[in-house]
Short mmCIF file of all heavy atoms in Angstrom, two decimals:
data_model
loop_
_atom_site.label_atom_id
_atom_site.label_comp_id
_atom_site.label_asym_id
_atom_site.label_seq_id
_atom_site.Cartn_x
_atom_site.Cartn_y
_atom_site.Cartn_z
N LEU A 365 147.34 -29.79 43.17
CA LEU A 365 146.77 -28.45 42.94
C LEU A 365 147.92 -27.46 42.68
O LEU A 365 148.87 -27.42 43.49
CB LEU A 365 146.10 -27.97 44.30
CG LEU A 365 144.82 -28.74 44.70
CD1 LEU A 365 144.30 -28.38 46.09
CD2 LEU A 365 143.75 -28.67 43.71
N LEU A 366 147.80 -26.74 41.55
CA LEU A 366 148.86 -25.95 41.03
C LEU A 366 148.43 -24.52 40.90
O LEU A 366 147.93 -24.11 39.82
CB LEU A 366 149.39 -26.47 39.71
CG LEU A 366 149.65 -28.00 39.68
CD1 LEU A 366 149.92 -28.44 38.25
CD2 LEU A 366 150.69 -28.36 40.59
N PRO A 367 148.57 -23.64 41.94
CA PRO A 367 148.17 -22.29 41.80
C PRO A 367 148.97 -21.53 40.77
O PRO A 367 150.13 -21.81 40.55
CB PRO A 367 148.56 -21.70 43.22
CG PRO A 367 148.54 -22.93 44.12
CD PRO A 367 149.11 -24.00 43.28
N ARG A 368 148.25 -20.65 40.01
CA ARG A 368 148.85 -19.79 38.93
C ARG A 368 149.47 -20.59 37.85
O ARG A 368 150.42 -20.17 37.19
CB ARG A 368 149.92 -18.87 39.56
CG ARG A 368 149.34 -17.91 40.66
CD ARG A 368 150.44 -16.93 41.16
NE ARG A 368 149.94 -16.10 42.19
CZ ARG A 368 149.83 -16.47 43.46
NH1 ARG A 368 150.29 -17.65 43.88
NH2 ARG A 368 149.35 -15.62 44.41
N ALA A 369 148.92 -21.81 37.66
CA ALA A 369 149.37 -22.65 36.49
C ALA A 369 148.23 -22.89 35.57
O ALA A 369 147.18 -23.40 36.01
CB ALA A 369 149.97 -23.96 37.06
N ASN A 370 148.39 -22.69 34.28
CA ASN A 370 147.35 -23.00 33.29
C ASN A 370 147.49 -24.48 32.93
O ASN A 370 148.34 -25.09 33.43
CB ASN A 370 147.35 -22.09 32.11
CG ASN A 370 148.71 -22.09 31.43
OD1 ASN A 370 149.54 -23.05 31.57
ND2 ASN A 370 149.02 -21.04 30.70
N VAL A 371 146.68 -24.90 31.96
CA VAL A 371 146.66 -26.29 31.62
C VAL A 371 147.98 -26.74 31.02
O VAL A 371 148.46 -27.89 31.22
CB VAL A 371 145.43 -26.64 30.72
CG1 VAL A 371 145.61 -25.93 29.33
CG2 VAL A 371 145.30 -28.17 30.52
N GLU A 372 148.59 -25.82 30.19
CA GLU A 372 149.89 -26.19 29.60
C GLU A 372 150.97 -26.40 30.68
O GLU A 372 151.75 -27.38 30.61
CB GLU A 372 150.35 -25.08 28.58
CG GLU A 372 149.53 -25.11 27.37
CD GLU A 372 148.21 -24.32 27.53
OE1 GLU A 372 148.01 -23.67 28.62
OE2 GLU A 372 147.34 -24.30 26.63
N ALA A 373 151.00 -25.48 31.65
CA ALA A 373 152.04 -25.61 32.76
C ALA A 373 151.69 -26.83 33.52
O ALA A 373 152.64 -27.50 34.00
CB ALA A 373 152.02 -24.33 33.60
N ALA A 374 150.46 -27.12 33.79
CA ALA A 374 150.09 -28.30 34.51
C ALA A 374 150.56 -29.58 33.80
O ALA A 374 151.05 -30.53 34.44
CB ALA A 374 148.59 -28.31 34.82
N ALA A 375 150.31 -29.61 32.53
CA ALA A 375 150.72 -30.77 31.71
C ALA A 375 152.26 -30.90 31.75
O ALA A 375 152.74 -32.10 31.75
CB ALA A 375 150.26 -30.64 30.26
N THR A 376 152.99 -29.84 31.66
CA THR A 376 154.46 -29.92 31.68
C THR A 376 154.96 -30.49 32.99
O THR A 376 155.86 -31.31 33.09
CB THR A 376 154.98 -28.50 31.49
OG1 THR A 376 154.57 -28.01 30.22
CG2 THR A 376 156.50 -28.47 31.57
N LEU A 377 154.36 -30.02 34.18
CA LEU A 377 154.71 -30.55 35.45
C LEU A 377 154.31 -32.01 35.57
O LEU A 377 155.14 -32.83 36.10
CB LEU A 377 153.95 -29.73 36.54
CG LEU A 377 154.28 -30.23 37.98
CD1 LEU A 377 155.81 -30.08 38.36
CD2 LEU A 377 153.50 -29.47 39.00
N ALA A 378 153.19 -32.38 35.04
CA ALA A 378 152.74 -33.75 35.01
C ALA A 378 153.78 -34.68 34.34
O ALA A 378 154.12 -35.80 34.74
CB ALA A 378 151.37 -33.97 34.45
N GLU A 379 154.27 -34.21 33.16
CA GLU A 379 155.23 -34.99 32.45
C GLU A 379 156.51 -35.13 33.21
O GLU A 379 157.16 -36.24 33.21
CB GLU A 379 155.48 -34.29 31.10
CG GLU A 379 156.52 -34.97 30.19
CD GLU A 379 156.15 -36.39 29.76
OE1 GLU A 379 154.97 -36.74 29.88
OE2 GLU A 379 157.03 -37.14 29.32
N ARG A 380 156.93 -34.03 33.90
CA ARG A 380 158.14 -34.10 34.71
C ARG A 380 158.03 -35.17 35.79
O ARG A 380 158.99 -35.89 36.08
CB ARG A 380 158.48 -32.73 35.31
CG ARG A 380 159.85 -32.57 35.88
CD ARG A 380 160.10 -31.23 36.42
NE ARG A 380 159.87 -30.20 35.37
CZ ARG A 380 159.12 -29.13 35.53
NH1 ARG A 380 158.54 -28.92 36.67
NH2 ARG A 380 158.99 -28.25 34.56
#
Side-chain angles (χ1 to χ4, degrees):
L365 295 173
L366 312 173
R368 300 183 182 84
N370 58 21
V371 66
E372 289 80 10
T376 298
L377 178 64
E379 178 63 17
R380 191 179 306 131

